[in-house]
Each structure stands twice: as C-alpha cells, then as structure tokens.
Amino acid sequence: MDNTQTGKSTPISDTIGCITVLALVLGIGYLVFMGAKSAWVSHIAKEGPTPEEIQAKKDLDLLRSRIDALEAANTLMQAEMRFAERAAESAKTASFTPGSAGYQLVQSKTGTFLVWLDKVAPYANGQRLTFRVANTQSVTYKNPTITVTWSTAAPEVTGSEDYAKAYETWTASRRTKTETVFLDLRPGWWSTFNIVVSPATASDVANIELALTATLVSIPIR
C-alpha cells in the first residue's frame, strides 16, 4: 500500500497567495502612477507658463512697482509736512543758552519781534532771566504775554537706545512758565523785562526758550 500523500492546498494558504498577488499588483500600479505623475510634471515644467499667465505676472509686477512708488512718495510727503510744522513752530520760539550773544526773531499772530537774552542771574531759589524785545512794527503793543521754557543741557545725540531714553527723560524734565509783562512795546524801541524761574539752579537753565504773544494794540489817532 502506497502511503505517499499528494500536496493539497488549504484555505489559509490560498488566502495568503491571493494577498501576495494583490500586493504585487498594487505595488506595480503605484509605481506606474508615480512614474506617470513625474512625467506629467516634467512635461508641464518644460512647456512653461501660458501667455495669459505671463501677462498676469507682468501686470502684478507693474502694480507692485506702482504701490512701491506711491508708498515712497507718501513717506516723502509726510517728512516734508513734519519739517514744515517744525519750521513753523520754530519761528514762534527763540532759543538761548546763557551767555549767547545776538537776537532772534519771534513770530506771533500779530507781528514779528526781535528777542535778546541779556543776562541770567541767581535770584532767591531761582534764576532771573533778563530779556530785551524790539518791536519792528509801527504800532505799540501793550502787556505782552511771555512763555518761558527752561531745562538742563540736552543729552548728546547718539544712535543708541540709551540716548532715546535719556532724551525722553530730558524732555519730560523741561518746565514752562507763562507771565504777562506790564509794559509797552513801542515801535522801533528795545524794551527790557525780567522773568524769575524757580526753583532753578544755574544748570537748570542751560536751555531757555521764549515765545511772545501780544494782542493789545495801541494806534494813535490823528
């Protein structure tokens, strides 16, 4: 009796075989798909953009250049406006340091005056500032209002962050006094008056600014 047995397939081996075949088919399909995709991308890259896309890019670049030009013009205009504002404000104020010589122009709403810091002297717990004012108009102004701002020496200009902080602290330390001076500013004459600022030491008045307002006008009637 022959005991030799012929090999027979089982359900498990059949399933494994099917899975293996399916995996091979899917792998081959994936490789074919990736190859086709790569070939398509390469083809598109070689073809380059369409005329419509080229024109759209040109239009976008032109728009960007115009926006940059407008932004540059706007920045320049703002700088010019700030300069004009500073110039206008500067014309309203005369700036001095103790011992400085000569006069400065002060522009008010009613006229232009020449202002000269004559001297600075200690007075009680403050400093007495003596000014001379010349009226360049042909009318007499009465009882002008004087605004004096004084401060220590400004910090030296540097580009560091410490300078910015020091300048901010210095700006906040400036003090101002407004006072009406009872005198007549006659045409073509120098008039002298004093203003006392206190408490202040000599170092506290290293920078002095003066603004003048004169609204009472006297004109002789003939």
Side-chain angles (χ1 to χ4, degrees):
M1 182 176 181
D2 188 3
N3 291 328
T4 303
Q5 295 181 356
T6 59
K8 294 183 179 179
S9 64
T10 64
I12 294 177
S13 62
D14 291 342
T15 302
I16 293 175
C18 290
I19 292 174
T20 302
V21 173
L22 181 60
L24 289 173
V25 172
L26 290 176
I28 294 172
Y30 177 75
L31 292 175
V32 172
F33 169 76
M34 292 302 295
K37 180 181 179 182
S38 177
W40 175 255
V41 172
S42 177
H43 173 70
I44 292 299
K46 289 181 180 179
E47 271 194 358
T50 64
E52 291 77 9
E53 291 173 338
I54 294 174
Q55 185 60 45
K57 185 178 184 305
K58 289 182 178 180
D59 293 342
L60 182 59
D61 291 342
L62 179 61
L63 180 60
R64 286 174 177 168
S65 65
R66 289 179 177 177
I67 291 174
D68 291 342
L70 288 173
E71 289 179 346
N74 182 57
T75 300
L76 177 61
M77 183 178 64
Q78 290 181 353
E80 290 176 345
M81 290 177 62
R82 287 193 296 268
F83 178 79
E85 290 173 356
R86 286 195 296 267
E89 288 299 320
S90 177
K92 298 178 183 178
T93 306
S95 300
F96 304 97
T97 57
S100 59
Y103 62 84
Q104 294 189 34
L105 294 175
V106 174
Q107 182 71 45
S108 72
K109 292 181 179 180
T110 55
T112 300
F113 301 88
L114 309 181
V115 181
W116 180 5
L117 177 62
D118 190 14
K119 61 182 176 178
V120 179
Y123 185 87
N125 67 334
Q127 301 290 315
R128 182 169 62 188
L129 313 179
T130 301
F131 293 97
R132 292 184 181 182
V133 179
N135 176 11
T136 62
Q137 282 68 229
S138 58
V139 298
T140 298
Y141 295 90
K142 292 181 174 292
N143 306 336
T145 299
I146 308 297
T147 299
V148 175
T149 301
W150 67 97
S151 65
T152 58
E156 293 185 3
V157 178
T158 64
S160 66
E161 184 176 342
D162 291 338
Y163 166 74
K165 293 179 180 179
Y167 185 81
E168 184 178 353
T169 301
W170 174 78
T171 301
S173 70
R174 301 171 74 221
R175 302 181 61 189
T176 299
K177 178 180 182 179
T178 299
E179 183 176 310
T180 298
V181 180
F182 296 98
L183 57 79
D184 292 344
L185 301 179
R186 293 184 291 172
W189 282 69
W190 285 97
S191 302
T192 303
F193 64 89
N194 300 311
I195 290 184
V196 176
V197 296
S198 64
T201 63
S203 62
D204 291 332
V205 292
N207 285 289
I208 302 169
E209 297 178 1
L210 181 142
L212 185 152
T213 302
T215 56
L216 295 178
V217 181
S218 176
I219 302 176
I221 299 176
R222 294 181 180 178

